[in-house]
Amino acid sequence: MISPQTVAILILNRNQAEYTRDCLVSLQQIDYPSYRILVIDNGSTDDSLRRVAQQFPTVDFLWLKENLGVAGGRNAGLREALRKEPAYVFFLDNDTLVAPDSLTRLVNRMNTHAKIGAVQPKIYFASPPDRICTFGGKFYRRISHYRHPESGHCDSVKTQVPTEIDIVSGCAGLMRAIVFQEIGLLDETYSPYCHEDVDWSLRMRNAGYCLMVEPAAVIWHRISSAPIADAAKLRELAKAHILFLRFHTRFFDLPLSIVWVSFHMVRRYLFPVIGRHNQEAVKGILHGIWLGLRQQRRPIEKPSGISGITLSPTPPAAVSDRSKKKILLGGVLGPLDAGPTRVYETLLKSRFAEYFQVRFLDLQFARNVGDFERLRPGKFVRLLRSLFLMMYHLLRNRYATVCIPLSTNRNAFLKDSLFLWLGVLMGLPVIILEHGTNIPALYEKAGPMLRWFMRTTLQQATRCIVLAECLKFNFEPFLPADRIVSVYLGIDSVRQISFYSRP
């Protein structure tokens, strides 16, 4: 067994010995004291890497007889490296150049908290060297899509701060070795390449780990920005998109995800090759879609016997800031000087806004008190706009809770119910904030269909919050007592604030 802080650096090569040599030369300059380099030759058809191996006697080489793809090749290297029980594994593409202090900075960031599962450096393009290749990926779960928001941009204030991310790039990423024992190796279903890093990142996040980018650690990537026209590459990209859609899309997100992924593949891959009259590429894309629909998922291997290390229980500031739960809060603010307006003004000025990242959605449709029960075309337009705006925010951000008010005249109840059901369909816990109205009275006056709809709607609520004990009667006919809580208007205690988060 070697030092508990040792890093196993894994570099995958296939017929690119010159790139690999340059990468190894840059690694000779790093200042981290304890590391081992393993180069995996993924079935190269030339012998150029063997000549390079003679120049680096301290580097280990693993020679594979055939091309196992990115996931398969890296898994072969992982099995070999994990036998020596390193603390960390550093995946590195062979066409990268590493800054001397990058590995030290990555390890230092990892050591700040035990629940950081992986850290990636800030990765620039090699040409132009001031343009960011990736600063970590963002995953949009509602449409099963991911992207690298900072790619192609120059540095900004945003890219100078350690940040929690959704996806660690497969180009360069430091992983905690113990994580492989918990969630398994890379998924070889994606072989030969594409999406295996995204899949593994999401599995890591689902296991409760956070992923981070360390901007002080810098790497340059010699990647081509030319459009993809090769039929074989387009086939594998299309296949990977379909596999990812199948493996990581929740049932209720499937319709929207299918629409988005179809649009993305047509716009990004199909239209460009049709414009160039490349029939082979078109066939490759269609063949890839067919393969993605038919291929079965391979079992994910879990290695055993990996040692772990216990680290400081105090999370870094960046994780603490990002760990605030996001709440989408619907409500009403002016210009009407009514009770609900005062409720939300007080709520947003209380400690509630300190404990959560709050996105407020104004659901005020009436011009004045006398306009509450009137039906006007302008109200329908505003309603549709607000529903689309809410859907946009839910798709764009990962919210912990949706908090919706509920009114007690019939039209307003139906309007508020649409927002409640949108949160439910998006798979989020919905909390009803009731500010003093009489729901049982509306229920008694309603017909059979409206009564059924009211019962069904109210039962979807994860929790109902009222502003005083005497107002619990609004929900007692519909919900068990443990889902109805009373919270004072100012909500200045931590216990009261906790009622707004998932139970």
Side-chain angles (χ1 to χ4, degrees):
M1 181 175 174
I2 55 180
S3 167
Q5 289 293 310
T6 295
V7 177
I9 303 175
L10 304 187
I11 303 172
L12 195 63
N13 172 84
R14 177 172 168 79
N15 297 331
Q16 291 184 323
E18 290 303 312
Y19 279 166
T20 303
R21 184 188 65 81
D22 293 344
C23 181
L24 291 174
V25 169
S26 72
L27 286 170
Q28 287 181 326
Q29 311 301 318
I30 62 175
D31 57 11
Y32 190 75
S34 181
Y35 64 91
R36 297 289 298 270
I37 301 175
L38 175 64
V39 177
I40 307 107
D41 184 68
N42 206 6
S44 291
T45 55
D46 58 33
D47 62 350
S48 56
L49 187 64
R50 294 188 182 274
R51 295 193 295 272
V52 171
Q54 297 173 4
Q55 305 173 32
F56 300 92
T58 61
V59 175
D60 297 324
F61 286 81
L62 177 64
W63 307 94
L64 303 179
K65 294 182 179 179
E66 58 181 345
N67 181 11
L68 301 182
V70 174
R74 283 182 165 170
N75 282 348
L78 276 170
R79 296 184 195 99
E80 183 70 23
L82 293 177
R83 279 198 281 267
K84 298 180 180 179
E85 298 188 357
Y88 309 112
V89 174
F90 187 31
F91 286 138
L92 194 62
D93 277 0
N94 68 325
D95 56 351
T96 56
L97 301 173
V98 181
D101 62 347
S102 58
L103 186 54
T104 300
R105 292 182 180 276
L106 290 173
V107 173
N108 289 343
R109 175 58 55 189
M110 184 80 82
N111 282 341
T112 55
H113 195 266
K115 291 307 288 183
I116 298 178
V119 184
Q120 82 155 62
K122 185 196 302 184
I123 304 173
Y124 290 98
F125 289 106
S127 179
D130 62 338
R131 295 282 178 174
I132 294 174
C133 177
T134 173
F135 193 70
K138 182 174 178 60
F139 179 55
Y140 302 88
R141 182 172 293 278
R142 312 298 176 197
I143 54 175
S144 296
H145 177 68
Y146 73 94
R147 68 187 186 96
H148 296 267
E150 303 303 322
S151 182
H153 298 168
C154 292
D155 267 321
S156 63
V157 174
K158 187 176 181 179
T159 59
Q160 303 298 326
V161 181
T163 305
E164 188 176 349
I165 56 178
D166 295 329
I167 297 164
V168 167
S169 171
C171 168
L174 183 71
M175 321 290 180
R176 195 180 296 278
I178 193 69
V179 176
F180 291 100
Q181 185 175 355
E182 184 174 346
I183 71 169
L185 305 182
L186 300 176
D187 189 346
E188 296 185 28
T189 313
Y190 293 97
S191 290
Y193 53 83
C194 193
H195 283 70
E196 70 284 333
D197 53 343
V198 185
D199 174 273
W200 197 78
S201 294
L202 296 183
R203 285 193 281 134
M204 191 164 15
R205 287 187 62 88
N206 291 338
Y209 289 95
C210 78
L211 316 180
M212 297 200 69
V213 57
E214 173 52 66
V218 174
I219 282 177
W220 292 269
H221 191 197
R222 296 190 284 190
I223 187 174
S224 172
S225 59
I228 302 170
D230 181 78
K233 289 185 177 180
L234 288 169
R235 180 188 68 235
E236 299 304 328
L237 286 169
K239 183 187 79 170
H241 275 293
I242 301 302
L243 290 173
F244 185 79
L245 180 70
R246 287 173 49 197
F247 299 160
H248 289 282
T249 305
R250 297 174 298 188
F251 176 76
F252 45 81
D253 291 331
L254 195 57
L256 194 58
S257 297
I258 291 174
V259 170
W260 173 259
V261 171
S262 301
F263 168 75
H264 174 73
M265 292 176 63
V266 168
R267 177 181 63 88
R268 185 75 182 271
Y269 306 133
L270 198 57
F271 276 177
V273 295
I274 289 176
R276 293 192 291 269
H277 306 288
N278 190 335
Q279 294 184 4
E280 290 302 314
V282 173
K283 291 178 182 178
I285 294 170
L286 298 178
H287 187 208
I289 293 172
W290 176 247
L291 291 175
L293 292 171
R294 296 189 59 192
Q295 186 166 331
Q296 297 297 313
R297 191 167 199 173
R298 300 182 188 179
I300 298 174
E301 178 185 343
K302 289 188 177 182
S304 59
I306 305 172
S307 63
I309 53 177
T310 303
L311 301 171
S312 165
T314 305
V319 176
S320 177
D321 291 341
R322 290 292 296 263
S323 65
K324 283 185 180 180
K325 291 185 177 180
K326 292 183 177 181
I327 286 185
L328 183 63
L329 175 65
V332 289
L333 289 175
L336 294 180
D337 187 14
T341 300
R342 302 284 80 80
V343 168
Y344 289 101
E345 286 180 350
T346 306
L347 184 64
L348 294 173
K349 292 177 182 177
S350 70
R351 295 179 66 189
F352 173 84
E354 299 175 11
Y355 279 79
F356 299 113
Q357 295 184 44
V358 182
R359 166 73 69 175
F360 185 78
L361 183 64
D362 191 358
L363 304 182
Q364 178 69 271
F365 298 143
R367 294 172 178 170
N368 50 56
V369 175
D371 194 33
F372 279 153
E373 297 193 27
R374 292 176 187 159
L375 295 179
R376 293 186 291 103
K379 283 188 175 182
F380 286 105
V381 172
R382 186 169 175 82
L383 174 62
L384 290 174
R385 177 183 176 277
S386 297
L387 286 169
F388 279 114
L389 186 61
M390 179 176 174
M391 181 179 292
Y392 168 78
H393 288 306
L394 293 180
L395 291 171
R396 192 171 184 269
N397 297 284
R398 185 185 295 108
Y399 287 97
T401 307
V402 174
C403 188
I404 295 295
L406 208 58
S407 304
T408 52
N409 73 70
R410 185 191 61 182
N411 294 339
F413 182 92
L414 294 172
K415 175 259 296 182
D416 293 337
S417 298
L418 293 176
F419 295 95
L420 185 150
W421 277 103
L422 183 56
V424 171
L425 292 174
M426 289 292 187
L428 293 173
V430 178
I431 293 174
I432 294 175
L433 177 58
E434 176 63 22
H435 32 72
T437 46
N438 194 338
I439 291 178
L442 175 64
Y443 184 80
E444 289 299 323
K445 293 187 293 184
M449 287 297 295
L450 183 56
R451 286 189 178 190
W452 170 84
F453 179 76
M454 289 181 67
R455 287 196 307 271
T456 306
T457 299
L458 291 170
Q459 288 166 3
Q460 304 306 312
T462 304
R463 176 171 287 142
C464 295
I465 295 177
V466 295
L467 302 183
E469 288 289 328
C470 63
L471 296 175
K472 286 187 175 181
F473 77 93
N474 280 288
F475 300 106
E476 286 171 345
F478 311 101
L479 295 171
D482 61 349
R483 288 164 65 183
I484 310 170
V485 295
S486 171
V487 178
Y488 177 65
L489 184 60
I491 57 167
D492 285 325
S493 75
V494 174
R495 176 179 173 273
Q496 291 171 331
I497 289 171
S498 69
F499 289 139
Y500 283 85
S501 60
R502 184 193 295 267

